[in-house]
Amino acid sequence: MGNRGMEELIPLVNKLQDAFSSIGQSCHLDLPQIAVVGGQSAGKSSVLENFVGRDFLPRGSGIVTRRPLILQLIFSKTEYAEFLHCKSKKFTDFDEVRQEIEAETDRVTGTNKGISPVPINLRVYSPHVLNLTLIDLPGITKVPVGDQPPDIEYQIKDMILQFISRESSLILAVTPANMDLANSDALKLAKEVDPQGLRTIGVITKLDLMDEGTDARDVLENKLLPLRRGYIGVVNRSQKDIEGKKDIRAALAAERKFFLSHPAYRHMADRMGTPHLQKTLNQQLTNHIRESLPALRSKLQSQLLSLEKEVEEYKNFRPDDPTRKTKALLQMVQQFGVDFEKRIEGSGDQVDTLELSGGARINRIFHERFPFELVKMEFDEKDLRREISYAIKNIHGVRTGLFTPDMAFEAIVKKQIVKLKEPSLKCVDLVVSELATVIKKCAEKLSSYPRLREETERIVTTYIREREGRTKDQILLLIDIEQSYINTNHEDFIGFANAQQRNTQLNKKRAIPNQVIRRGWLTINNISLMKGGSKEYWFVLTAESLSWYKDEEEKEKKYMLPLDNLKIRDVEKGFMSNKHVFAIFNTEQRNVYKDLRQIELACDSQEDVDSWKASFLRAGVYPEKDQAENEDGVQENTFSMDPQLERQVETIRNLVDSYVAIINKSIRDLMPKTIMHLMINNTKAFIHHELLAYLYSSADQSSLMEESADQAQRRDDMLRMYHALKEALNIIGDISTSTVSTPVPPPVDDTWLQSATSHSPTPQRRPVSSVHPPGRPPAVRGPTPGPPLIPVPVGAAASFAAPPIPSRPGPQSVFANNDPFSAPPQIPSRPARIPPGIPPGVPSRRPPAAPSRPTIIRPAEPSLLD
């Protein structure tokens, strides 16, 4: 391979990658892309090939690169290439790679010089490369040939700008030495995207093809048309060399020999050639890596700090230490109790914002679900009237009763009280289910110790089941107590006289007329698409009406619907809908809203539907089934009962309604209190005071506190991560100390790039001449203008830190004059005016000590100041 600098960087990057992969992360170095830009046949592909160190790109005269080639170099233990358009095939022969590039180019662009912006993606895997992206771009051309479109120049420029505009791309502006540098389109394009010149390096090719007697010394010394990072000269293989299969190593040796033997370049031979270009680019890569290190370091340090506390506990960890096990057991049981209490009583920390949980769900059972079940049971009108009628007839026997028997009232009331048992026991079951869920949630923190978690769940759940039995016994006892004595002297009981006078229309007992029962969002689900489709509104339910508004501010009322003659029915969930729906309709077959016989109201969950139904029941709007049964029952009874019996049934029905309401009120109040006292509060006390003793009696401490395999693995992973982070930080520190950043060269006056279109500056070629330039008095001599000139002795390239800033030949010229093979000192020709690239009056930053430099003015020197 020809790129030694790259090979030196590979171990450094690999160390970083290994350090990061050991902690399960990727090291995002994002090394820069390297793009070559230049005119047609300027030698761009050759420069790129030399950088990779492989001979694989198509070569020839005219436009050869007709599609962008995105070359991804990937570090691998084996060497092969593959294309994105034929991934399954691996190329180990790089001659086949060249043929495939040519074939793929012809497939898209044709064989008659056509171009295409569609890139060819090639990946080269090798142990001798860094993970880099190199881009070979078509050469800039002016005149279309073959199948090329008339705007070929603009198409190619747009294509190039697309690739070089990225801030992390390095631009190699390639210009052949036998072309006027002032006309370099590559430098102009680079200037557009990189006005500061921070990522542009000038590359001068074909130095061996210049006219005899001319050279590019002033350009390569960055004097004539300066760039911030200067120019590097290279000598590529000729077409004859390529066709003759000349090896890249032999080409590099020939290039070295050329620079050492040429009289105009020998003094800067160590700063010329492909190896120096490779060194410069690799130094840029090193700079980029060094710039990435602070961010990587801070990221690793923050992770290290976050692990410090947990690792401190594990540093001296001994799995079989009984003291550690006892401490952990006590802490976990205590934490379990705290978590259980927080979930039941509620707390400000770790609030679940997605759904109700723990105490909030139990509260909903107490005050929404249980009352809903009671209200449903209370209004089974058909059965109630039939039972009252049978009771009256059975008490009178064969006689026709003149008075309403109070025995019928007691019999019916006792039967209604018994019906309370089912919803009450169902309420207990729902609470037990919620408590079991809470226990499982709290036990999740014990997952590090599976046996402890299992035993804790078992013991607490068993205790809850035990308390469940006692709670149900107590609730059944309360209902039996209510059944044992019918207190007709209760202050809320209406009494016999009021029951006779009471109108049947008062059966629907409503709340206070203007009392708001519920507010919330509901969706009206059955509005047609022509009228706007389903829409969400803010609903307000009172004891007399249902209103809906545009939003919760309740300023813009959409409609108010009276509750008279309204009933509720269930609606099946739509096939494509995730909403749960119920409907409100009018029993007299009237439209409820506009032209709708029923309004379908949708909620997000079945729980919300049940909650709204309970609210409607409180407002006197009942389910459809009950009403249908009631109507049937009323018709049957009315048809079969005589007027006197009907009055007696109505009187007892009113008495039963009044007394059952008193019982319901009492049960609704006592149920939550009983469950809280006998089940929930007792469970909290058990966890705090007795759970630990039960755990000790159920198993020995060592088996309880046996770690899970996952926990042991987690601890090992954490310790490994901790040491890997420290190792990665040490590697970053080593890289910081073992690598050196090259400072950015100072800005230069490159206005010649903008002014190149208005006037042509001095051509870069200069004849070999010893004639003193006319029109220039010696008095102009003074501080050297232009970029800093640093004397560099021959052989000092290894310590040269800023390659883009060329040095002025100082003491070397003396040795060059004594060399029998060297030409006499060359005095380049210069124009009468000062070139625009060297602003007058700019002081030179000459090193303070230059003892070998004479202080007298020599007439032959002024031409070198440019």
Short mmCIF file of all heavy atoms in Angstrom, two decimals, residues 329-330 333-334 336-337 452 455-456 458-460 462-464 466-467 470 678-679 681-699 704:
data_model
loop_
_atom_site.label_atom_id
_atom_site.label_comp_id
_atom_site.label_asym_id
_atom_site.label_seq_id
_atom_site.Cartn_x
_atom_site.Cartn_y
_atom_site.Cartn_z
N LEU A 329 -32.67 -7.05 53.18
CA LEU A 329 -34.02 -7.55 53.46
C LEU A 329 -34.84 -6.50 54.19
O LEU A 329 -36.00 -6.21 53.82
CB LEU A 329 -33.93 -8.84 54.27
CG LEU A 329 -35.27 -9.47 54.69
CD1 LEU A 329 -36.08 -9.85 53.47
CD2 LEU A 329 -35.03 -10.69 55.58
N LEU A 330 -34.25 -5.92 55.23
CA LEU A 330 -34.97 -4.88 55.99
C LEU A 330 -35.34 -3.70 55.09
O LEU A 330 -36.46 -3.18 55.14
CB LEU A 330 -34.11 -4.42 57.17
CG LEU A 330 -33.90 -5.43 58.29
CD1 LEU A 330 -32.89 -4.90 59.30
CD2 LEU A 330 -35.22 -5.75 58.98
N VAL A 333 -38.24 -4.68 52.53
CA VAL A 333 -39.56 -4.83 53.16
C VAL A 333 -40.10 -3.45 53.55
O VAL A 333 -41.29 -3.14 53.35
CB VAL A 333 -39.48 -5.76 54.38
CG1 VAL A 333 -40.78 -5.73 55.16
CG2 VAL A 333 -39.17 -7.18 53.93
N GLN A 334 -39.23 -2.61 54.08
CA GLN A 334 -39.65 -1.26 54.44
C GLN A 334 -40.10 -0.47 53.21
O GLN A 334 -41.13 0.20 53.22
CB GLN A 334 -38.50 -0.54 55.14
CG GLN A 334 -38.88 0.84 55.68
CD GLN A 334 -37.71 1.52 56.38
OE1 GLN A 334 -36.58 1.04 56.31
NE2 GLN A 334 -37.98 2.63 57.03
N PHE A 336 -41.20 -1.71 50.43
CA PHE A 336 -42.44 -2.31 49.95
C PHE A 336 -43.65 -1.71 50.68
O PHE A 336 -44.66 -1.36 50.05
CB PHE A 336 -42.38 -3.83 50.16
CG PHE A 336 -43.61 -4.56 49.71
CD1 PHE A 336 -43.80 -4.87 48.38
CD2 PHE A 336 -44.57 -4.94 50.64
CE1 PHE A 336 -44.94 -5.55 47.96
CE2 PHE A 336 -45.72 -5.61 50.23
CZ PHE A 336 -45.90 -5.92 48.90
N GLY A 337 -43.53 -1.57 51.99
CA GLY A 337 -44.63 -0.97 52.76
C GLY A 337 -44.88 0.48 52.38
O GLY A 337 -46.03 0.91 52.25
N LEU A 452 -37.60 -13.83 47.36
CA LEU A 452 -38.18 -12.83 48.27
C LEU A 452 -39.45 -12.24 47.66
O LEU A 452 -40.47 -12.08 48.36
CB LEU A 452 -37.16 -11.72 48.53
CG LEU A 452 -37.65 -10.54 49.37
CD1 LEU A 452 -38.01 -11.00 50.77
CD2 LEU A 452 -36.59 -9.44 49.43
N GLU A 455 -42.29 -14.89 47.82
CA GLU A 455 -42.81 -15.09 49.18
C GLU A 455 -43.60 -13.87 49.65
O GLU A 455 -44.64 -14.01 50.31
CB GLU A 455 -41.64 -15.36 50.15
CG GLU A 455 -41.08 -16.76 50.05
CD GLU A 455 -42.11 -17.81 50.40
OE1 GLU A 455 -42.78 -17.69 51.44
OE2 GLU A 455 -42.29 -18.75 49.59
N THR A 456 -43.10 -12.68 49.33
CA THR A 456 -43.81 -11.45 49.75
C THR A 456 -45.19 -11.40 49.12
O THR A 456 -46.19 -11.13 49.80
CB THR A 456 -43.00 -10.21 49.35
OG1 THR A 456 -41.70 -10.28 49.95
CG2 THR A 456 -43.69 -8.94 49.81
N ARG A 458 -46.96 -13.87 47.99
CA ARG A 458 -47.79 -14.96 48.52
C ARG A 458 -48.34 -14.62 49.90
O ARG A 458 -49.54 -14.78 50.16
CB ARG A 458 -46.98 -16.26 48.58
CG ARG A 458 -47.77 -17.47 49.05
CD ARG A 458 -46.86 -18.67 49.25
NE ARG A 458 -45.88 -18.48 50.31
CZ ARG A 458 -46.15 -18.57 51.61
NH1 ARG A 458 -47.38 -18.86 52.03
NH2 ARG A 458 -45.21 -18.39 52.51
N ILE A 459 -47.46 -14.12 50.78
CA ILE A 459 -47.88 -13.84 52.16
C ILE A 459 -48.91 -12.72 52.19
O ILE A 459 -49.97 -12.84 52.85
CB ILE A 459 -46.65 -13.48 53.02
CG1 ILE A 459 -45.76 -14.71 53.21
CG2 ILE A 459 -47.08 -12.91 54.36
CD1 ILE A 459 -44.40 -14.41 53.81
N VAL A 460 -48.66 -11.63 51.47
CA VAL A 460 -49.58 -10.48 51.52
C VAL A 460 -50.89 -10.84 50.83
O VAL A 460 -51.98 -10.48 51.33
CB VAL A 460 -48.93 -9.25 50.87
CG1 VAL A 460 -49.90 -8.07 50.87
CG2 VAL A 460 -47.66 -8.86 51.62
N THR A 462 -52.25 -13.80 50.56
CA THR A 462 -52.97 -14.71 51.46
C THR A 462 -53.66 -13.93 52.58
O THR A 462 -54.83 -14.19 52.92
CB THR A 462 -52.00 -15.74 52.08
OG1 THR A 462 -51.36 -16.46 51.02
CG2 THR A 462 -52.74 -16.70 52.99
N TYR A 463 -52.97 -12.94 53.11
CA TYR A 463 -53.57 -12.11 54.17
C TYR A 463 -54.78 -11.35 53.65
O TYR A 463 -55.81 -11.24 54.33
CB TYR A 463 -52.52 -11.15 54.73
CG TYR A 463 -53.04 -10.31 55.87
CD1 TYR A 463 -53.12 -10.84 57.16
CD2 TYR A 463 -53.45 -9.00 55.66
CE1 TYR A 463 -53.60 -10.08 58.21
CE2 TYR A 463 -53.94 -8.23 56.71
CZ TYR A 463 -54.03 -8.78 57.98
OH TYR A 463 -54.52 -8.03 59.03
N ILE A 464 -54.65 -10.80 52.40
CA ILE A 464 -55.77 -10.06 51.82
C ILE A 464 -56.97 -10.98 51.63
O ILE A 464 -58.12 -10.59 51.89
CB ILE A 464 -55.35 -9.41 50.48
CG1 ILE A 464 -54.37 -8.26 50.75
CG2 ILE A 464 -56.56 -8.90 49.71
CD1 ILE A 464 -53.78 -7.64 49.50
N GLU A 466 -57.68 -13.55 53.39
CA GLU A 466 -58.24 -13.78 54.73
C GLU A 466 -59.11 -12.60 55.16
O GLU A 466 -60.22 -12.78 55.67
CB GLU A 466 -57.10 -13.99 55.72
CG GLU A 466 -57.56 -14.21 57.15
CD GLU A 466 -56.38 -14.19 58.13
OE1 GLU A 466 -55.25 -14.52 57.71
OE2 GLU A 466 -56.61 -13.81 59.28
N ARG A 467 -58.61 -11.41 54.93
CA ARG A 467 -59.37 -10.20 55.29
C ARG A 467 -60.61 -10.07 54.41
O ARG A 467 -61.63 -9.52 54.83
CB ARG A 467 -58.51 -8.96 55.16
CG ARG A 467 -57.26 -8.91 55.99
CD ARG A 467 -57.52 -9.22 57.45
NE ARG A 467 -58.45 -8.30 58.09
CZ ARG A 467 -58.87 -8.39 59.35
NH1 ARG A 467 -58.43 -9.39 60.12
NH2 ARG A 467 -59.73 -7.52 59.85
N ARG A 470 -63.43 -11.92 56.06
CA ARG A 470 -63.97 -11.21 57.23
C ARG A 470 -64.78 -9.99 56.78
O ARG A 470 -65.82 -9.67 57.38
CB ARG A 470 -62.83 -10.77 58.13
CG ARG A 470 -62.09 -11.92 58.77
CD ARG A 470 -61.13 -11.43 59.83
NE ARG A 470 -60.33 -12.52 60.38
CZ ARG A 470 -59.44 -12.38 61.36
NH1 ARG A 470 -59.23 -11.18 61.88
NH2 ARG A 470 -58.74 -13.41 61.80
N LEU A 678 -61.55 -3.00 57.54
CA LEU A 678 -61.28 -4.42 57.71
C LEU A 678 -60.26 -4.97 56.71
O LEU A 678 -59.64 -5.99 57.00
CB LEU A 678 -62.58 -5.22 57.60
CG LEU A 678 -63.59 -5.01 58.74
CD1 LEU A 678 -64.85 -5.78 58.49
CD2 LEU A 678 -62.97 -5.43 60.08
N MET A 679 -60.09 -4.31 55.57
CA MET A 679 -59.22 -4.89 54.56
C MET A 679 -57.99 -4.02 54.29
O MET A 679 -56.85 -4.45 54.51
CB MET A 679 -60.00 -5.11 53.25
CG MET A 679 -59.20 -5.87 52.20
SD MET A 679 -60.11 -6.03 50.67
CE MET A 679 -61.52 -6.95 51.21
N ASN A 681 -56.79 -0.94 55.54
CA ASN A 681 -55.97 -0.46 56.66
C ASN A 681 -55.29 -1.61 57.41
O ASN A 681 -54.15 -1.49 57.86
CB ASN A 681 -56.82 0.37 57.64
CG ASN A 681 -57.24 1.70 57.04
OD1 ASN A 681 -56.66 2.13 56.03
ND2 ASN A 681 -58.23 2.35 57.63
N ASN A 682 -56.01 -2.71 57.53
CA ASN A 682 -55.41 -3.88 58.17
C ASN A 682 -54.23 -4.42 57.37
O ASN A 682 -53.23 -4.87 57.92
CB ASN A 682 -56.46 -4.97 58.36
CG ASN A 682 -57.14 -4.89 59.72
OD1 ASN A 682 -56.67 -5.42 60.71
ND2 ASN A 682 -58.26 -4.17 59.76
N THR A 683 -54.37 -4.41 56.05
CA THR A 683 -53.27 -4.88 55.19
C THR A 683 -52.05 -3.98 55.34
O THR A 683 -50.90 -4.47 55.40
CB THR A 683 -53.72 -4.93 53.72
OG1 THR A 683 -54.86 -5.79 53.61
CG2 THR A 683 -52.61 -5.45 52.83
N LYS A 684 -52.25 -2.66 55.38
CA LYS A 684 -51.13 -1.74 55.59
C LYS A 684 -50.42 -2.03 56.92
O LYS A 684 -49.18 -2.08 56.97
CB LYS A 684 -51.63 -0.28 55.57
CG LYS A 684 -51.95 0.24 54.17
CD LYS A 684 -52.09 1.75 54.15
CE LYS A 684 -53.32 2.19 54.91
NZ LYS A 684 -53.57 3.64 54.78
N ALA A 685 -51.21 -2.22 57.96
CA ALA A 685 -50.61 -2.50 59.27
C ALA A 685 -49.86 -3.83 59.25
O ALA A 685 -48.77 -3.96 59.83
CB ALA A 685 -51.70 -2.51 60.34
N PHE A 686 -50.41 -4.80 58.57
CA PHE A 686 -49.76 -6.11 58.48
C PHE A 686 -48.40 -5.99 57.78
O PHE A 686 -47.39 -6.55 58.24
CB PHE A 686 -50.66 -7.08 57.72
CG PHE A 686 -50.02 -8.39 57.42
CD1 PHE A 686 -49.93 -9.39 58.39
CD2 PHE A 686 -49.49 -8.66 56.17
CE1 PHE A 686 -49.32 -10.60 58.12
CE2 PHE A 686 -48.89 -9.87 55.89
CZ PHE A 686 -48.80 -10.85 56.87
N ILE A 687 -48.35 -5.25 56.68
CA ILE A 687 -47.09 -5.11 55.94
C ILE A 687 -46.03 -4.41 56.80
O ILE A 687 -44.87 -4.81 56.81
CB ILE A 687 -47.33 -4.34 54.62
CG1 ILE A 687 -48.16 -5.21 53.66
CG2 ILE A 687 -46.03 -3.94 53.96
CD1 ILE A 687 -48.62 -4.48 52.41
N HIS A 688 -46.45 -3.39 57.52
CA HIS A 688 -45.49 -2.62 58.33
C HIS A 688 -44.99 -3.40 59.55
O HIS A 688 -43.82 -3.28 59.93
CB HIS A 688 -46.12 -1.30 58.78
CG HIS A 688 -46.14 -0.25 57.70
ND1 HIS A 688 -45.00 0.23 57.10
CD2 HIS A 688 -47.17 0.41 57.12
CE1 HIS A 688 -45.32 1.14 56.19
NE2 HIS A 688 -46.64 1.26 56.18
N HIS A 689 -45.87 -4.20 60.16
CA HIS A 689 -45.51 -4.77 61.46
C HIS A 689 -45.27 -6.28 61.46
O HIS A 689 -44.55 -6.79 62.33
CB HIS A 689 -46.62 -4.45 62.50
CG HIS A 689 -46.86 -2.98 62.67
ND1 HIS A 689 -48.09 -2.40 62.44
CD2 HIS A 689 -46.01 -1.97 62.99
CE1 HIS A 689 -48.00 -1.10 62.65
NE2 HIS A 689 -46.75 -0.80 62.98
N GLU A 690 -45.88 -7.01 60.53
CA GLU A 690 -45.82 -8.47 60.65
C GLU A 690 -45.19 -9.17 59.44
O GLU A 690 -44.80 -10.34 59.52
CB GLU A 690 -47.23 -9.04 60.86
CG GLU A 690 -47.90 -8.54 62.13
CD GLU A 690 -49.30 -9.14 62.30
OE1 GLU A 690 -49.43 -10.37 62.11
OE2 GLU A 690 -50.23 -8.38 62.61
N LEU A 691 -45.09 -8.47 58.31
CA LEU A 691 -44.60 -9.12 57.10
C LEU A 691 -43.20 -9.69 57.30
O LEU A 691 -42.90 -10.81 56.88
CB LEU A 691 -44.62 -8.12 55.93
CG LEU A 691 -44.01 -8.63 54.62
CD1 LEU A 691 -44.75 -9.87 54.11
CD2 LEU A 691 -44.03 -7.54 53.55
N LEU A 692 -42.31 -8.93 57.94
CA LEU A 692 -40.93 -9.37 58.13
C LEU A 692 -40.88 -10.67 58.93
O LEU A 692 -40.12 -11.60 58.59
CB LEU A 692 -40.13 -8.27 58.84
CG LEU A 692 -38.62 -8.45 58.86
CD1 LEU A 692 -38.06 -8.49 57.45
CD2 LEU A 692 -37.96 -7.33 59.67
N ALA A 693 -41.70 -10.76 59.97
CA ALA A 693 -41.71 -11.98 60.80
C ALA A 693 -42.20 -13.18 59.98
O ALA A 693 -41.65 -14.29 60.07
CB ALA A 693 -42.61 -11.77 62.01
N TYR A 694 -43.22 -12.96 59.15
CA TYR A 694 -43.72 -14.05 58.31
C TYR A 694 -42.65 -14.50 57.30
O TYR A 694 -42.53 -15.69 57.00
CB TYR A 694 -44.97 -13.58 57.56
CG TYR A 694 -46.26 -13.77 58.35
CD1 TYR A 694 -46.67 -12.83 59.28
CD2 TYR A 694 -47.05 -14.89 58.15
CE1 TYR A 694 -47.84 -12.99 60.00
CE2 TYR A 694 -48.23 -15.07 58.87
CZ TYR A 694 -48.62 -14.12 59.79
OH TYR A 694 -49.78 -14.30 60.51
N LEU A 695 -41.88 -13.53 56.77
CA LEU A 695 -40.82 -13.88 55.82
C LEU A 695 -39.75 -14.73 56.49
O LEU A 695 -39.27 -15.73 55.93
CB LEU A 695 -40.19 -12.61 55.23
CG LEU A 695 -41.03 -11.87 54.18
CD1 LEU A 695 -40.42 -10.50 53.87
CD2 LEU A 695 -41.14 -12.69 52.91
N TYR A 696 -39.36 -14.34 57.71
CA TYR A 696 -38.32 -15.12 58.43
C TYR A 696 -38.82 -16.53 58.74
O TYR A 696 -38.04 -17.49 58.72
CB TYR A 696 -37.94 -14.41 59.72
CG TYR A 696 -36.85 -13.36 59.54
CD1 TYR A 696 -37.07 -12.04 59.91
CD2 TYR A 696 -35.61 -13.72 59.02
CE1 TYR A 696 -36.08 -11.08 59.74
CE2 TYR A 696 -34.62 -12.77 58.86
CZ TYR A 696 -34.86 -11.45 59.21
OH TYR A 696 -33.88 -10.52 59.04
N SER A 697 -40.12 -16.65 59.04
CA SER A 697 -40.64 -17.98 59.39
C SER A 697 -40.87 -18.84 58.15
O SER A 697 -40.93 -20.07 58.25
CB SER A 697 -41.95 -17.84 60.16
OG SER A 697 -42.93 -17.21 59.34
N SER A 698 -41.03 -18.22 56.98
CA SER A 698 -41.33 -18.99 55.77
C SER A 698 -40.09 -19.64 55.18
O SER A 698 -40.17 -20.71 54.56
CB SER A 698 -41.99 -18.11 54.72
OG SER A 698 -41.06 -17.13 54.26
N ALA A 699 -38.94 -19.01 55.31
CA ALA A 699 -37.70 -19.57 54.73
C ALA A 699 -36.51 -18.93 55.40
O ALA A 699 -36.63 -17.90 56.07
CB ALA A 699 -37.67 -19.31 53.22
N LEU A 704 -33.90 -16.67 50.86
CA LEU A 704 -34.73 -15.52 50.48
C LEU A 704 -33.93 -14.49 49.69
O LEU A 704 -34.42 -13.92 48.71
CB LEU A 704 -35.31 -14.84 51.72
CG LEU A 704 -36.59 -15.42 52.31
CD1 LEU A 704 -36.97 -14.65 53.56
CD2 LEU A 704 -37.73 -15.38 51.30
#
